[in-house]
């Protein structure tokens, strides 16, 4: 029997209520099941995740892997390292793929010469709760939203990107760059991210390419708590920490491809948002936006101070102590 062409990796942690829908969409694909496999990487779940997976053990192209070390990057690396496919497709456990998702992925890799390193497409947001007025389009990116139009094409990696919720890479590319940096990405209660962005920068710096296809589409569930201000304060606080750490991990990448630290010239912006965040001089929606910005700055400053403190003792890099 020939090995599958595509390995679909679903990393999950205590998401049994979403996982079943995700897996159902992967077994409603128009692509023959002989051409792909599905690997669920259970990242130390304590709910009914294993029981959900046992419902699919009768499928010859399904595998369940338990990964005890916490962390999304760790789980993703475990997934692709165990996959047999030439292409590695990542989809979030709270997302569902359209029926021809896998077929369009193969079309995308064949549409460009040489083959692109990274293929992806739109991520539609499916709201569990109606988003409030302050949650404008600029914040959709933090929820995984992607839409670069209706044309299938190579992206400009300087200003366009793809996300891990709908992320397909060549195995050779993952092997070349060592997969995802385990210092970054979700880990237990830490809302670190940036592992996808860091890999994007490394591939871009090496001359790699990124291909977008409007029909390589997934629908991403947005839980009700993710449209509350408190979630965005935490999300952007950890975004500030992430950006600082990521800049430090990209010391070998040309500066034009790096995520840069905030500049001192942003002092005026900081002062303005500080006063607006009090709500005394602005509307509620504007105050929330300013608080989100201030949360990002607080995270970045915390990371900068902590890095220099650890660096003083020779303890460079990011670790779980950021959550303490």
């Amino acid at each position: 029997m020939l090995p599958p062409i595509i390995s679909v990796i679903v990393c999950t942690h205590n998401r049994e209520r979403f996982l079943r829908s995700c897996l159902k969409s992967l077994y409603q694909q128009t692509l023959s099941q002989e051409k792909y496999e599905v690997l669920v990487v259970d990242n130390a779940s304590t709910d009914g995740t294993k029981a959900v997976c046992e419902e699919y053990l009768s499928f010859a192209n399904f595998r369940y892997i338990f990964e005890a070390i916490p962390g999304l990057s760790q789980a993703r690396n475990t997934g692709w390292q165990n996959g047999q496919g030439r292409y590695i497709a990542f989809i979030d456990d709270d997302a569902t793929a359209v029926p021809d998702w896998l077929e369009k992925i193969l079309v995308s890799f064949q549409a460009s010469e040489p083959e692109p390193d990274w293929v992806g497409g739109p991520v539609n947001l499916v709201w569990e709760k109606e988003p409030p007025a302050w949650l404008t389009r600029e914040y959709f990116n933090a929820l995984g939203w992607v839409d670069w139009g209706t044309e299938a094409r190579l992206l400009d990696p300087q200003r366009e990107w793809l996300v891990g919720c709908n992320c397909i890479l060549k195995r050779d590319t993952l092997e070349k760059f060592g997969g995802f940096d385990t210092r970054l990405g979700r880990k237990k209660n830490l809302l670190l991210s940036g592992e996808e962005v860091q890999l994007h920068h490394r591939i871009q710096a090496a001359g790699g390419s990124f291909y977008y296809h409007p029909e390589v589409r997934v629908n991403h569930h947005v839980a009700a708590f993710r449209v509350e201000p408190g979630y965005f304060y935490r999300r952007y606080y950890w975004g500030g920490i992430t950006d600082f750490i990521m800049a430090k991990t990209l010391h070998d990448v040309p500066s034009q491809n790096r995520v840069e630290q905030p500049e001192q010239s942003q002092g005026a912006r900081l002062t303005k948002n500080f006063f607006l965040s009090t709500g005394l001089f602005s509307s509620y929606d504007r105050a929330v936006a300013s608080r989100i910005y201030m949360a990002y700055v607080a995270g970045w400053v915390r990371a900068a101070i902590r890095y220099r403190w650890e660096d003083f003792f020779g303890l460079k890099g990011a670790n779980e102590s950021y959550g303490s």
Side-chain angles (χ1 to χ4, degrees):
M1 184 175 178
L2 293 175
I5 302 173
I6 303 176
S7 295
V8 182
I9 312 299
V10 184
C11 300
T12 188
H13 174 72
N14 289 342
R15 292 276 194 88
E16 60 174 310
R17 75 185 183 104
F18 297 116
L19 181 60
R20 185 174 278 105
S21 295
C22 177
L23 293 178
K24 182 179 179 181
S25 75
L26 296 177
Y27 281 93
Q28 293 177 334
Q29 293 292 303
T30 54
L31 187 69
S32 169
Q33 290 184 18
E34 296 178 353
K35 294 184 178 181
Y36 72 97
E37 63 176 347
V38 176
L39 282 74
V40 173
V41 181
D42 181 351
N43 197 198
S45 295
T46 56
D47 64 354
T49 291
K50 186 175 182 180
V52 172
C53 292
E54 287 174 346
E55 299 173 12
Y56 288 85
L57 291 179
S58 60
F59 290 91
N61 67 338
F62 180 85
R63 280 191 283 158
Y64 169 85
I65 301 173
F66 186 83
E67 172 55 74
I69 301 174
L72 179 55
S73 292
Q74 177 72 33
R76 282 176 171 166
N77 289 341
T78 296
W80 73 261
Q81 289 165 359
N82 282 275
Q84 302 175 41
R86 177 178 179 181
Y87 308 117
I88 309 295
F90 296 95
I91 183 171
D92 281 5
D93 55 2
D94 56 355
T96 57
V98 297
D100 59 349
W101 183 61
L102 291 174
E103 280 201 11
K104 298 304 181 183
I105 286 171
L106 291 182
V107 168
S108 298
F109 277 107
Q110 297 164 2
S112 178
E113 184 62 39
E115 282 187 339
D117 291 276
W118 189 326
V119 163
V123 176
N124 299 329
L125 300 182
V126 180
W127 306 96
E128 186 174 284
K129 176 182 177 182
E130 188 70 21
W134 61 264
L135 210 169
T136 56
R137 184 62 62 87
E138 68 177 291
Y139 296 119
F140 284 14
N141 292 338
L143 299 171
W145 177 76
V146 169
D147 189 345
W148 298 117
T150 58
E151 177 188 355
R153 59 185 174 84
L154 288 170
L155 295 179
D156 176 358
Q158 292 278 38
R159 61 183 184 86
E160 297 171 317
W161 61 87
L162 299 169
V163 295
C165 176
N166 186 12
C167 166
I168 309 93
L169 295 108
K170 293 194 301 184
R171 165 180 289 282
D172 290 349
T173 299
L174 286 165
E175 290 177 345
K176 177 180 178 180
F177 293 97
F180 297 93
D181 191 335
T182 55
R183 294 171 295 181
L184 297 168
R186 298 289 192 273
K187 189 177 297 185
K188 291 186 176 179
N189 294 323
L190 280 66
L191 284 181
L192 280 169
S193 54
E195 75 281 12
E196 302 147 16
V197 178
Q198 185 209 62
L199 183 58
H200 173 110
H201 287 313
R202 293 194 183 284
I203 294 173
Q204 177 189 352
S209 59
F210 306 80
Y211 193 87
Y212 170 87
H213 196 299
E215 295 178 66
V216 178
R217 181 183 300 273
V218 304
N219 298 307
H220 193 202
H221 182 87
V222 181
F225 76 91
R226 288 186 174 176
V227 301
E228 298 297 330
Y231 172 79
F232 273 80
Y233 300 154
R234 287 189 66 230
R235 175 70 177 79
Y236 275 74
Y237 171 79
W238 282 101
I241 293 176
T242 295
D243 282 358
F244 182 90
I245 295 171
M246 189 161 50
K248 293 298 181 182
T249 67
L250 290 172
H251 57 83
D252 59 333
V253 173
S255 59
Q256 65 267 26
N257 294 328
R258 291 176 53 181
V259 177
E260 297 298 338
Q261 303 171 5
E263 300 176 358
Q264 293 294 325
S265 59
Q266 292 188 344
R269 182 183 178 190
L270 179 62
T271 302
K272 175 184 176 182
N273 279 280
F274 172 78
F275 283 106
L276 291 176
S277 69
T278 65
L280 299 175
F281 311 98
S282 62
S283 66
Y284 172 78
D285 291 348
R286 186 65 183 86
V288 169
S290 293
R291 290 166 191 163
I292 291 173
Y293 172 79
M294 294 301 296
Y296 174 88
V297 173
W300 191 93
V301 170
R302 180 187 179 188
I305 293 172
R306 186 126 194 178
Y307 179 90
R308 303 201 192 293
W309 180 261
E310 291 181 342
D311 188 36
F312 182 78
F313 291 102
L315 302 173
K316 292 185 179 180
N319 54 55
E320 288 195 41
S321 66
Y322 278 97
S324 62

